[in-house]
Amino acid sequence: MKDKDQAPEPVVKILFVCLGNICRSPLAQGVFEKQAETASVLELIHIDSAGTHAYHIGELPDPRSMSIASTNNIDLSSQRARKVHETDFETFDYILAMDQDNYANLYADCPEQYRERLHLFLNFAPHLDLKDVPDPYYGGNFGFERVYDLVFEASEGLIKTLLENELADLESLQADSVTDSNSD
Ligand code: 4NP
């Protein structure tokens, strides 16, 4: 029997990954969540972020990421940094690396059967012809504005991809999710 307050099962699970999980991937998570909400698909997607390294575990996102997010009406304050865990490869359908170093680190740790789940996030914005969301940690605010712009474009591409694939049958998925959340 289902708990009537239980959230419906997500249709697709997405993990954003950078190095420290305080600058780029938390911002990518926040931007993507907002776009998913606007597209009325947020309840169908499980969204998380993580870092390949453990430097900042438990910390809030960097204040510069919080600031550019807040300028765009996105609140990152519920996020805390965590490291990628070996179970993430099995759990998440899309594991999205912010840059090629992050991708190489993920690739090295990922069991072979899950490697097709790994992608460079900017592959979802092919018109940009870029591979990396640059690491803004040691730079100024401009770097964070650039990260925002890049993750915004890639998020739009990712939403479009999901709507053409896992979420293609949107009306019936949304009907199922309403039935799930009403059942006890
Ligand atoms: P992120 O940025 O990978 O986008 O979270 C960084 C955060 C921290 C460090 C480097 C990059 N660090 O060296 O501590």
Side-chain angles (χ1 to χ4, degrees):
M1 186 187 286
K2 277 186 184 229
D3 178 339
K4 72 176 167 42
D5 295 327
Q6 194 180 318
E9 276 290 302
V11 174
V12 62
K13 298 178 189 167
I14 293 173
L15 183 68
F16 296 99
V17 178
C18 59
L19 177 69
N21 192 212
I22 56 168
C23 299
R24 291 166 290 174
S25 58
L27 191 51
Q29 177 177 345
V31 167
F32 182 75
E33 282 173 350
K34 185 176 177 196
Q35 290 189 11
E37 188 176 16
T38 302
S40 304
V41 294
L42 184 57
E43 66 186 1
L44 301 173
I45 312 175
H46 175 65
I47 308 165
D48 198 1
S49 68
T52 57
H53 284 71
Y55 309 131
H56 297 280
I57 287 176
E59 292 179 21
L60 276 165
D62 187 285
R64 296 164 294 178
S65 282
M66 303 265 279
S67 171
I68 184 81
S70 154
T71 301
N72 290 281
N73 295 315
I74 296 169
D75 179 11
L76 306 184
S77 66
S78 65
Q79 295 194 41
R80 297 292 180 276
R82 74 169 179 90
K83 189 173 184 291
V84 173
H85 190 266
E86 60 187 23
T87 57
D88 289 329
F89 298 112
E90 189 184 341
T91 300
F92 289 90
D93 304 295
Y94 289 81
I95 300 171
L96 302 166
M98 293 298 129
D99 67 29
Q100 293 168 89
D101 285 343
N102 308 147
Y103 184 92
N105 285 324
L106 288 166
Y107 191 89
D109 290 343
C110 184
E112 207 174 324
Q113 76 258 40
Y114 299 128
R115 279 189 177 145
E116 66 183 16
R117 300 177 173 199
L118 306 179
H119 308 268
L120 282 171
F121 188 31
L122 291 189
N123 283 353
F124 290 91
H127 57 287
L128 297 176
D129 202 19
L130 291 170
K131 291 188 186 307
D132 295 340
V133 179
D135 180 349
Y137 186 64
Y138 290 107
N141 285 332
F142 174 76
F144 286 78
E145 288 166 20
R146 176 85 175 132
V147 170
Y148 179 87
D149 290 344
L150 294 175
V151 302
F152 188 94
E153 300 251 350
S155 291
E156 287 190 326
L158 178 57
I159 296 265
K160 188 166 178 285
T161 297
L162 297 178
L163 289 172
E164 289 168 357
N165 293 280
E166 290 86 348
L167 305 180
D169 200 0
L170 192 55
E171 281 180 20
S172 79
L173 289 170
Q174 285 170 332
D176 286 351
S177 110
V178 170
T179 313
D180 280 358
S181 57
N182 285 341
S183 70
D184 52 20

